[in-house]
Amino acid sequence: RTLGFWEGDSELRHFGTGEAIPVHVTSFLVTRPSDGAGVALATVQRDLREQLATERSLATRVQEQHDLADLGRMALTHSLQELLDETVRRIEIRFPGTLALVIKKVRSPSLARVVAASDPAWTNFEVPFHSASVASLALREDRLVVSDDLATDSRFADAPLAARMGMGAALACPVPAVDSGWGVLAVASRPTRTWSPNEVAFMDALSSTLGAALRRYELEAELQHQALHDALTGLPNRALVRDRLANAIARSGRRGDKVAVLLLDLDDFKAINDSLGHGTGDDVLISLAERLRRVVRPGDTVGRLGGDEFVVVAEELGSDEEVARVAEDVLAASSEYALIDGRRLSLSASVGVALAAKGVGSPSALLSEADMAMYRAKRDRPGTYRIFDEAMRGDLMGRVDIAGELRESVRAGLLRVVYQPIVDLSTGAVVAFEALARWSNHAGEAISPEVFVRVAEETGIIGELGVWVLDQAALRAAAWQGIAPGVGVRVNVSAHELRDRDYVTRLATVLAGSGLQPELLGLEITESTFIDDAGTSKENLARIHGLGVSLLVDDFGTGYSSLSYLQRFPVIDVLKIDQSFMSQSSRGQAVVRAVLGLGNAFGVKVCAEGVESADQLDFLADVECDLAQGFFFARPVESEAVDVLLRDWDPSAARATRAPRTSD
C-alpha cells in the first residue's frame, strides 16, 4: 500500500508435525507496466534453521571460551574450593537440568569423594572405584568416558545408582594434576541425550583448565611447605616455629598455664660429619627428628632451626615437674643410639629450657633465653638440660662487655704474649717456645684465655687477635735467633682463622715482615678444630705446609677420628699429647704409648704437654717420647725474660733422672 516492499523474519508451522520453522521473508508488489497498478504479491521465504543453529553454536563456543577464561583468572585469586564450586555452576548453566560433579580421589586406593556438586545433596558422596558408573570407569582407567544412554549401555548394565537416581546419560573427564589421576569432572542428564563433539570438547577443556589450576595450587602448597619446613627432616623451620610459638603463648594467656621452649643441640655432632661424612650426618638428623616426633605430646611442636639444632614447643604445662618430664623425654630421645647403615652411633645433646607463664613473653625472647640455657648446659655438663634464669642473662651481658673491651685492647696492642719452652727429651735443649696470649681488662682483672678466646671466636674478633699474636711471636722469635739459632716458635690458630681464605696471605705477610724463616714457625691446631674438613680449611692447611711452616695437633686424644685425619692430612708434623693423659695412672700411660705408636707409624713427632714432675719425665724418657713442655721445665715467661731463660738454660737439668730404655 505504501512502499510495495517488505522484508523481515517470521515463522511458519509445519502442517504435519506442528514444528515451528523460522524463516526470513522478502515480499514485494508486482505491478502492471502500463499503469503501475498492483496485480500480485510475490513472497520469498528462506529457511533460517541452519543459520540460527550455526549462530547458536558460535554463541555457545564464545560463552564456553569466556567460561574457561573466567575460571583461569579465578584460579589466580580464589581458593581451590571456590574454583570447584564455580566450575560446577558453569557446567549447570551450560547444560541446564543436569547434575555437575567434581569427584576427587581420597587416600583410600579404591574410593573417591564428591568435593563439589551443582546439587549440594551430593557433596561428600562417596564413589567406589569398582562400581558400575561412568565416573568410576573414568577414575579407574584415567580416560574420558561418554554414555548417551545408560540404560542400553552394556558397560553400565549393573549401575543401580544411575537407575535409582533416574540418570539417562553421562560423561566424565579425568582431571590431570602433578600426579596423574587427581579425579574426574562429570555431568549427568536425566533424559538420554547425544553428547555432541563440541560438548565433549568443552568438558575436556574444563577438566584441563581445572588440572592446570590444580597444578598451580599444588605448586603453591609445596612452595609454602618448603618455605615453612626444613627440607631434610620435614619439620617446621624457624619461621613456622615462631608462628606456632606466638599462638601457644596467646593460648597460654587464656588458659593461665605455661609454655616451654626446649632448644636442643647435639654434642660433638661435627665429629660425625667429619669422620663418617655429611650423608651419615643427615641420616642421624633424620633419625633424631623421628624420635623427637614420637616422644612429644599431641599438640606440641618439634622444629629444626638449622644444623644440629632442634626445638620443641610444649604447651599446657601446669607444674615444674611437667616441664622436667618433657625435658627428660627429649634428652632420652636424643641420647638413643642411631642405627645408620648397620652402624650404631652414640649420641648426646644439651638442652636449654625457657618458660612463658600466663601469656607473658615473646617468641624472640623465649628462643634467645632457651639458647642461653642450652649453651650453659653445654658448657657446664654436656648431655644435660638447664632452665633459663636471669643469672644466665647477666653472664651473657658480661661476655658482651668482654667482647667490647677485648676489641679495643687488640686494636691498641694492650695484650701480652708469654712464652713456654718446648724441650727435646733426647738432648734437654730448648727447640721452640709456645706463644700464649694473656689479657687483663680495664679493671686490671686477668681474663682466662679460655674465656676471651671463645668470646673472640663468637664475636669475630679472632682474626685480629690471631694475627696480632702471630706478628708479636714472629718478631720475638726472629730476635732471639742471635742468642739461640734454630729455636722456633709455636702459635695457636683457631679453626675460624683457617676458614678464612685470606689467612695464608696474612701469614706470609707476617713472615716477610718479621724476617723469621718459615721452618722456625709452627701453628698449633686443637684436634677438635683440625677435623673441620671444610674445603677452605683443607686448602689453607696444604698452603701453610707448602710455605714450610710446620703444623702441630694440640690436645691430641681429646677429639675424634685421629687415625682418619692422620691418613687424610699428611701435612701434620707433631702430635701434642693432652696434659690430661700425663697422670701416672695405667690408663693415662696406655694412651701415651698408643699415641707414640701412631706417631712412629706415621713418621710424626710426639710432644707431651703438662709435664710437672721428674717421675713423668722419667716415664716419657722410658717410652722414648720426642718432645715435652710443662711447669717441670719452666712456667711461661714474659717476652723480655726469654733471652735470660735461653742464656741460663741447663740441658742436663731437663733430661730424665734415669737413662731411657734401649730396644732389644
Side-chain angles (χ1 to χ4, degrees), residues 339-402:
L339 187 61
I340 308 296
D341 295 332
R343 185 196 301 265
R344 292 181 67 185
L345 301 178
S346 179
L347 304 175
S348 71
S350 300
V351 176
V353 183
L355 300 173
K358 299 180 180 180
V360 178
S362 69
S364 296
L366 285 177
L367 287 169
S368 176
E369 291 167 358
D371 189 60
M372 285 186 257
M374 182 271 292
Y375 276 105
R376 174 61 65 87
K378 193 176 285 288
R379 188 182 73 183
D380 293 350
R381 187 183 172 193
T384 61
Y385 73 90
R386 294 288 186 271
I387 297 177
F388 174 80
D389 59 41
E390 286 301 323
M392 295 180 187
R393 193 186 306 278
D395 179 61
L396 176 64
M397 295 308 297
R399 295 168 74 83
V400 172
D401 292 339
I402 288 175

Side-chain angles (χ1 to χ4, degrees), residues 527 556 560-569 598 601-602:
E527 185 178 13
F556 188 84
Y560 300 87
S561 305
S562 307
L563 183 60
S564 67
Y565 70 68
L566 283 173
Q567 293 173 321
R568 294 201 312 271
F569 297 99
L598 278 176
F602 286 93

Side-chain angles (χ1 to χ4, degrees), residues 74-134:
M74 188 176 180
L76 301 175
T77 57
H78 291 67
S79 69
L80 175 59
Q81 189 57 54
E82 289 173 326
L83 178 64
L84 299 179
D85 291 340
E86 181 62 17
T87 299
V88 295
R89 190 184 75 83
R90 298 289 180 111
I91 294 174
E92 186 180 29
I93 293 173
R94 174 64 180 82
F95 304 110
T98 60
L99 173 66
L101 304 171
V102 179
I103 305 170
K104 178 186 176 183
K105 291 180 180 178
V106 295
R107 291 186 180 274
S108 168
S110 59
L111 191 67
R113 180 175 290 114
V114 175
V115 292
S118 56
D119 181 352
W122 282 78
T123 305
N124 293 324
F125 186 84
E126 293 184 349
V127 181
F129 275 27
H130 299 289
S131 64
S133 70
V134 171

Side-chain angles (χ1 to χ4, degrees), residues 11 57 121 126-127 179 293 322 335 353 397 410 414 421 461 648:
E11 185 178 271
S57 178
E126 293 184 349
V127 181
D179 51 345
R293 281 192 185 103
E322 287 184 86
S335 300
V353 183
M397 295 308 297
V410 169
L414 299 179
I461 313 171
D648 296 343

Side-chain angles (χ1 to χ4, degrees), residues 157-311:
D158 299 320
L161 179 62
R164 188 168 69 249
M165 300 304 296
M167 297 301 174
L171 71 84
C173 296
V175 177
V178 174
D179 51 345
S180 62
W182 179 89
V184 296
L185 188 61
V187 60
S189 167
R190 290 188 180 277
T192 60
R193 61 175 295 165
T194 300
W195 301 101
S196 71
N198 285 335
E199 291 171 336
V200 173
F202 173 62
M203 289 294 292
D204 191 46
L206 273 181
S207 67
S208 296
T209 300
L210 195 56
L214 284 169
R215 287 190 290 273
R216 189 185 67 80
Y217 283 121
E218 290 176 3
L219 179 59
E220 284 184 351
E222 178 63 24
L223 290 175
Q224 184 178 33
H225 185 274
Q226 291 177 5
L228 297 175
H229 290 80
D230 172 55
L232 178 65
T233 63
L235 294 175
N237 63 11
R238 184 182 294 271
L240 185 54
V241 166
R242 289 174 65 90
D243 181 69
R244 292 188 180 180
L245 179 54
N247 291 331
I249 293 170
R251 288 190 291 268
S252 170
R254 294 191 292 270
R255 292 190 302 257
D257 54 20
K258 296 178 181 178
V259 173
V261 176
L262 297 91
L263 195 65
L264 175 152
D265 187 87
L266 286 175
D267 300 320
D268 296 317
F269 173 71
K270 183 176 173 297
I272 294 176
N273 271 340
D274 291 333
S275 59
L276 301 177
H278 289 276
T280 298
D282 288 347
D283 290 340
V284 168
L285 296 176
I286 293 169
S287 172
L288 176 58
E290 289 300 323
R291 292 200 301 275
L292 291 174
R293 281 192 185 103
R294 290 198 300 267
V295 301
V296 300
R297 305 164 309 158
D300 290 347
T301 293
V302 180
R304 181 182 177 218
L305 301 184
D308 59 336
E309 204 169 59
F310 293 79
V311 64

